[in-house]
Amino acid sequence: MSNRAVSYAGPGRVEVIDTPYPEFELKDGPGVNPANVGRKVHHGVILRTIATNICGSDQHMVRGRTTAPEGLVLGHEITGEVVEVGRDVEFVPVGDVVSVPFNIACGRCRNCKEGQTGICLNVNPDRPGSAYGYVDMGGWVGGQAEYVLVPYADWNVLKFPDRDQAMEKILDLTMLSDILPTGFHGAVGAGVTVGSTVYVAGAGPVGLAAATSAQLLGAAVVIVGDLNADRLAQAASFGCETVDVSKGNPADQIEQILGVPEVDCGIDAVGFEARGHGADAATEAPATVLNSLMEITRAGGSLGIPGLYVTGDPGAVDKAAQEGSLSMRFGLGFAKSHTFVTGQCPVMKYHRGLMQAILHDKVSIAKNVNATPIGLEDAPQGYAAFDEGAAQKFVLDPHGLIPR
Ligand SMILES: NC(=O)c1ccc[n+]([C@@H]2O[C@H](COP(=O)([O-])OP(=O)(O)OC[C@H]3O[C@@H](n4cnc5c(N)ncnc54)[C@H](O)[C@@H]3O)[C@@H](O)[C@H]2O)c1
Ligand SMILES: [Zn+2]
Ligand SMILES: [Zn+2]
């Protein structure tokens, strides 16, 4: 069997390459941790990929802002059909159409047992937590490919109840592998509930998913900030208020909307490549969003922080930031008794409920993030457009199965 996949080809470049068809063993390859080479995966299934999305998390690697090695096969947002089942899989038959959480988790360790699947202890020899196709995550091969191996399948996959119904809503359901649960986790972490006022920094797909989730949770007002006009228009298209951070500090613009320069809940959907505010918007200032959320979130409030922060950034603005040390005004957060909720989203906590919300028409995530299907071979153009700030979420369709 042949296989094609999207691979990182050095700063600013991805290419579509021939790559081995998966086996029930993790083979050596770019980014595979030596301690994971030869690992048997009889608990895995092989999927024919139906939809696999490009993410801002991929962009950090493709921009050369991580230590990702060239040749790394990308892709952690995976939805597909089971075509082969490993010897030790009991409950996932061939033919199931499933969503795969981007976190790889064993289901056996202390953290998995406590629902913390984003920091599984058994899948990545480097550190807790793993993902497909990602630097420092153990070397599990990415799913922006025709076929992909999913380990611990009985534990990890979420089956869609009906194949035809799933294919009808595939552009919504594909967001269950990452951004919808991630945005929802951001909103839950920020304490969003009925009547909350919410500020979401970032109008990329994760920010828009967080805003969508805040609405689903009953927020009174959802304000989305960015410096990209097209993305702000996308947020406004489904009822969010907007703040253009290139025009100045969000606090002033929030005051114009709410009458007070403060919100109940703050969400960071930007991460370490944050731009400054106002006159500084042309330059990178990695602690900007964290500092401004502490400023605008009410005393006693929470900060949901799905935006990614790293322990090493070769392209950082200064030496401290190269090691992930940021100039945070932590004393302000302390003074206001803020809670900080960080880390990978434990997708499994939320994906079943959000699937039901999609299947019963309670949420329109594909429309809200402007999901745009493209062929696998068009991935380089998709990456380029996303990097330029297109107000789109690109969904790769390796087998031409997604209705256009
Ligand atoms: N924690 C998790 O589990 C998880 C999962 C998925 C993605 N992520 C992370 O979430 C972040 C967002 O992902 P995405 O796909 O939406 O990325 P993206 O790059 O498309 O979006 C980021 C947006 O932030 C905007 N921005 C930059 N500086 C800003 C500022 N100071 N204020 C407001 N907006 C600003 C950019 O213009 C851009 O539109 C990334 O860091 C990604 O790695 C985390
Ligand atoms: Zn992602
Ligand atoms: Zn585990």
Side-chain angles (χ1 to χ4, degrees):
M1 285 286 272
S2 63
N3 194 11
R4 300 272 292 163
V6 180
S7 101
Y8 173 57
R13 292 196 312 123
V14 301
E15 41 185 51
V16 186
I17 58 164
D18 288 320
T19 196
Y21 182 83
E23 294 175 44
F24 294 107
E25 179 179 320
L26 184 44
K27 307 275 190 189
D28 201 4
V32 181
N33 188 297
N36 256 352
V37 173
R39 186 165 172 165
K40 299 283 182 273
V41 191
H42 297 303
H43 43 68
V45 295
I46 296 170
L47 298 187
R48 177 166 75 133
T49 309
I50 294 173
T52 176
N53 322 321
I54 299 173
C55 180
S57 299
D58 299 321
Q59 293 288 12
H60 298 309
M61 291 189 285
V62 173
R63 289 186 187 126
R65 297 299 296 269
T66 69
T67 52
E70 290 183 22
L72 183 79
V73 171
L74 302 167
H76 57 271
E77 303 193 5
I78 305 164
T79 303
E81 175 185 5
V82 179
V83 291
E84 279 191 62
V85 171
R87 190 186 68 199
D88 296 342
V89 175
E90 283 193 90
F91 308 114
V92 185
V94 168
D96 273 7
V97 178
V98 299
S99 176
V100 182
F102 78 85
N103 332 99
I104 300 169
C106 74
R108 295 145 159 86
C109 73
R110 172 183 179 173
N111 287 345
C112 283
K113 285 176 180 176
E114 292 176 1
Q116 299 270 30
T117 52
I119 42 172
C120 172
L121 301 172
N122 288 332
V123 281
N124 178 2
D126 282 325
R127 58 168 80 165
S130 179
Y132 303 84
Y134 215 85
V135 60
D136 294 335
M137 290 283 156
W140 301 94
V141 181
Q144 286 171 10
E146 291 173 320
Y147 298 94
V148 61
L149 173 68
V150 173
Y152 302 103
D154 281 320
W155 168 252
N156 281 309
V157 305
L158 174 70
K159 180 191 169 153
F160 299 140
D162 179 82
R163 187 199 181 85
D164 293 341
Q165 181 195 35
M167 288 312 295
E168 254 171 52
K169 297 209 176 233
I170 195 70
L171 285 178
D172 292 284
L173 295 169
T174 189
M175 305 308 167
L176 291 171
S177 57
D178 183 350
I179 63 162
L180 184 54
T182 295
F184 196 82
H185 182 60
V188 168
V192 177
T193 185
V194 175
S196 300
T197 57
V198 185
Y199 176 71
V200 182
V206 171
L208 297 174
T212 301
S213 300
Q215 291 177 341
L216 195 58
L217 288 161
V221 184
V222 180
I223 304 168
V224 178
D226 203 301
L227 41 102
N228 175 322
D230 293 341
R231 290 183 165 192
L232 289 175
Q234 186 63 29
S237 77
F238 61 96
C240 300
E241 302 286 338
T242 61
V243 155
D244 182 346
V245 299
S246 71
K247 299 218 167 96
N249 198 312
D252 301 332
Q253 297 177 65
I254 288 170
E255 184 165 24
Q256 285 167 25
I257 296 165
L258 295 177
V260 287
E262 191 177 84
V263 290
D264 297 325
C265 311
I267 302 174
D268 175 354
V270 179
F272 72 101
E273 292 191 58
R275 297 300 179 96
H277 291 154
D280 298 329
T283 51
E284 208 172 281
T288 302
V289 172
L290 295 169
N291 283 330
S292 89
L293 289 186
M294 288 189 276
E295 188 191 332
I296 64 183
T297 303
R298 74 178 182 93
S302 293
L303 277 56
I305 309 175
L308 183 77
Y309 291 87
V310 291
T311 51
D313 171 7
V317 284
D318 58 50
K319 208 162 166 43
Q322 282 169 17
E323 292 171 358
S325 294
L326 307 185
S327 193
M328 261 179 87
R329 199 173 174 215
F330 190 69
L332 179 59
F334 185 94
K336 294 174 82 172
S337 290
H338 282 153
T339 299
F340 294 74
V341 180
T342 66
Q344 274 191 25
C345 166
V347 168
M348 214 180 279
K349 249 186 204 166
Y350 308 105
H351 65 177
R352 180 175 303 279
L354 292 169
M355 173 186 77
Q356 292 292 73
I358 289 170
L359 293 178
H360 294 278
D361 299 319
K362 294 295 177 284
V363 63
S364 304
I365 186 65
K367 174 176 90 37
N368 290 6
V369 300
N370 194 13
T372 307
I374 61 173
L376 186 74
E377 302 294 329
D378 297 328
Q381 293 90 300
Y383 268 89
F386 190 50
D387 187 48
E388 282 160 19
Q392 284 164 293
K393 173 76 174 173
F394 290 102
V395 178
L396 303 176
D397 173 16
H399 296 277
L401 298 170
I402 302 180
R404 307 284 162 95

